[in-house]
Amino acid sequence: SLVPLLRDARAQHKDAVFARYLDGDTVRFPEYAYSEYCSRTCTQIPACRASCATIHPTDRMLYNHTLDPFETASLHADGKHGAVANVMGRVLQQHRRDRERVAEV
């Protein structure tokens, strides 16, 4: 529930927020957003796969929302943000595994 946050912006909340659009998954931390896309052929929601077996290396994006709130330049390719991208990628992979386990129930 978001009610505690609406009442008090300092209330405890999740460390990350997850989103999915077509074949792309995103994890959002307070400062960064990291996205991975699975296939370039998914154009309609019913046709998109529920999970991604292999992510193409160029189908990743990393944005620093403090410095680039409009997501104009992905930081994924620059070597300075590799640690951030790796952590966020692992969090996203865990989220996918958790999502698939819930779907199996």
Side-chain angles (χ1 to χ4, degrees), residues 5-6 11 23 26 36 42 51-52 67 78 80 96 102-103:
L5 282 174
L6 294 173
D23 66 337
T26 298
E36 293 180 347
C42 181
S51 66
C52 302
L67 302 176
D78 87 15
K80 298 179 217 170
R96 285 188 182 122
V102 170

Side-chain angles (χ1 to χ4, degrees), residues 27-67:
V27 59
R28 176 79 157 81
F29 288 177
E31 188 174 358
Y32 289 95
Y34 175 79
S35 301
E36 293 180 347
Y37 291 86
C38 303
S39 97
R40 297 178 185 186
T41 59
C42 181
T43 58
Q44 297 180 1
I45 292 172
C48 296
R49 295 177 292 173
S51 66
C52 302
T54 305
I55 306 295
H56 191 275
T58 61
D59 293 340
R60 292 179 170 96
M61 297 182 294
L62 175 68
Y63 296 101
N64 180 325
H65 281 173
T66 302
L67 302 176

